[in-house]
Amino acid sequence: MENNLISLEDSHQRLHNYLRISITENCNLRCTYCMPAEGIVLTPKPHLMTADEIVNIAQTFVNLGVTKIRLTGGEPLVRKEAKEILLRLGKLGVTLTLTSNGILIPDFIPTFKLAQIQTINISLDTLIKDKYNQITRRNYFDQVLENISLTLKEGFQVKLNVVLIKGFNEDEILDFIALTKDKKIQVRFIEFMPFTGNQWDKSKLVSLASILETIQTTFPDCEMEPLLAAPNDTAKNFKIKSYKGSFAIISSVTNPFCNSCNRIRLTADGKLKNCLFSNSETSLLEALRAGQSILPLIQQNLYLKKAIRGGMDDDLKFQNPDLFMQNRSMIAIGG
């Protein structure tokens, strides 16, 4: 079957041009919302995609119309071949970016530039060292702050991913906004989402409405400027008018953006997920290694994509652990 007969459009007429590739399940942190406290059973190395297989599958998607690729993990930079993979994907003519916890960034600055990466998402859920150690179960806080400053100094656009959890860090919303006063940085507040092993329940949710309410206690509407959303944007974007940076809210729980979704995910073991919340997967790697075309599998997987959050289309379903516990943990999906 020829590429031009394959469409990255699903049955709801959503066109998918953004591929997120997890290149490892390993991570040098143990964030509570991402990984169970006891860790996960890692996929044996022979069942993970090699660097050649990652590039091969990525090239197939680019041929089909993908224009943006994001590398995720685990922590993508802990993979031994991370530099090679970045450089090879950087030659595919797409917008290439990644999400990182920021720990290993200094070693990769030259590689990022050679791969023509312009934007880097760095996960940082608190500005308080003790709380950072608590949620990550590791002690890299000072190093990550230094590396964020370095990344900005080197000319990259930095987006900070902040997962908000009630009772843990919702009292830091205004402190994160303050970061944008003198730094051209975007803070992205992300609603806490349910996955296997992360002890999610709705009482821990800090919603879009409550985030805005907190911000408006200090900054009235006249000081908050809504920013024009990019096509297929998952975030509602704002800035304080006199500040250099901006902030955004990603409300996957209370205000999902499924109707304009253009994202597909490839796990480190080569399985295609058409939605972050879907518990169904299609193994592209198995077919690739058998010498079979992966094109029909891609089209079939996309055609089966549900209209909303993997079929959890109402609040009762979304809060039902029997449904979301069938999915992988976040670290095994790729953020």
Side-chain angles (χ1 to χ4, degrees):
M1 190 176 295
E2 297 297 325
N3 285 11
N4 59 10
L5 298 180
I6 297 292
S7 171
L8 292 181
E9 186 174 88
D10 66 12
S11 61
H12 305 282
Q13 290 76 56
R14 294 173 296 199
L15 190 63
H16 297 73
N17 60 359
Y18 180 6
L19 176 65
R20 302 171 70 103
I21 305 176
S22 173
I23 64 171
T24 182
E25 295 174 352
N26 285 304
C27 188
N28 41 7
L29 297 181
R30 294 291 183 270
C31 297
T32 58
Y33 57 82
C34 182
M35 180 187 289
E38 65 278 9
I40 66 168
V41 177
L42 296 174
T43 303
K45 187 175 180 179
H47 298 292
L48 299 175
M49 294 183 292
T50 65
D52 286 343
E53 288 164 341
I54 290 169
V55 176
N56 185 324
I57 294 174
Q59 180 68 72
T60 299
F61 275 98
V62 172
N63 293 345
L64 294 173
V66 160
T67 59
K68 180 177 180 179
I69 293 176
R70 176 181 298 279
L71 295 191
T72 68
E75 166 53 44
L77 302 185
V78 302
R79 178 159 175 161
K80 182 179 178 181
E81 307 98 333
K83 291 181 180 179
E84 174 196 346
I85 292 168
L86 284 163
L87 291 173
R88 293 176 68 181
L89 293 179
K91 296 177 181 178
L92 296 185
V94 297
T95 299
L96 181 63
T97 185
L98 75 154
T99 298
S100 171
N101 57 34
I103 295 168
L104 299 175
I105 277 180
D107 292 337
F108 283 82
I109 294 291
T111 303
F112 293 159
K113 292 181 178 180
L114 287 171
Q116 300 182 66
I117 291 173
Q118 297 180 344
T119 302
I120 300 170
N121 287 36
I122 299 177
S123 299
L124 182 68
D125 302 305
T126 177
L127 297 172
I128 300 171
K129 186 172 183 175
D130 288 345
K131 288 168 70 172
Y132 177 90
N133 296 350
Q134 175 189 340
I135 198 166
T136 65
R137 307 185 183 108
R138 295 294 185 270
N139 181 17
Y140 290 107
F141 180 74
D142 294 332
Q143 190 172 329
V144 170
L145 286 187
E146 289 175 8
N147 292 344
I148 289 169
S149 296
L150 172 66
T151 309
L152 288 167
K153 182 180 177 181
E154 291 289 340
F156 296 95
Q157 180 184 355
V158 174
K159 297 182 179 182
L160 287 189
N161 287 349
V162 184
V163 175
L164 290 175
I165 302 173
K166 189 170 289 186
F168 176 71
N169 61 351
E170 85 275 21
D171 59 340
E172 296 186 63
I173 291 173
L174 294 175
D175 294 328
F176 274 105
I177 297 290
L179 282 182
T180 71
K181 182 175 183 179
D182 299 314
K183 292 182 173 68
K184 197 171 182 181
I185 196 168
Q186 184 189 68
V187 173
R188 292 154 55 89
F189 297 115
I190 302 171
E191 291 183 341
F192 184 35
M193 294 177 283
F195 295 97
T196 295
N198 73 350
Q199 288 83 50
W200 184 90
D201 68 65
K202 198 170 183 180
S203 68
K204 298 178 182 178
L205 178 69
V206 184
S207 68
L208 165 71
S210 63
I211 296 168
L212 287 174
E213 183 178 351
T214 296
I215 296 169
Q216 288 165 341
T217 61
T218 299
F219 301 101
D221 288 344
C222 62
E223 294 183 33
M224 284 176 52
E225 178 183 350
L227 300 178
L228 187 65
N232 309 109
D233 205 343
T234 61
K236 296 187 181 302
N237 301 283
F238 305 87
K239 74 184 301 292
I240 306 304
K241 289 182 179 178
S242 60
Y243 285 14
K244 290 182 179 180
S246 62
F247 67 94
I249 304 170
I250 299 175
S251 52
S252 304
V253 179
T254 63
N255 189 29
F257 33 80
C258 303
N259 62 332
S260 63
C261 182
N262 67 334
R263 292 154 178 77
I264 36 182
R265 286 174 165 79
L266 185 65
T267 62
D269 57 347
K271 293 186 171 67
L272 191 65
K273 290 179 72 74
N274 56 32
C275 175
L276 181 61
F277 297 109
S278 175
N279 54 35
S280 63
E281 303 173 346
T282 302
S283 179
L284 302 187
L285 184 58
E286 185 178 349
L288 184 71
R289 290 182 175 176
Q292 300 167 2
S293 173
I294 64 173
L295 298 176
L297 297 175
I298 292 171
Q299 189 164 54
Q300 180 186 46
N301 181 280
L302 273 179
Y303 190 78
L304 294 175
K305 184 168 181 171
K306 304 292 187 182
I308 298 175
R309 291 185 307 210
M312 294 187 288
D313 51 7
D314 61 41
D315 198 49
L316 285 176
K317 290 179 184 176
F318 199 70
Q319 293 189 64
N320 183 353
D322 292 336
L323 294 179
F324 66 73
M325 288 291 285
Q326 295 173 27
N327 200 358
R328 302 190 190 204
S329 61
M330 174 64 93
I331 194 167
I333 297 172

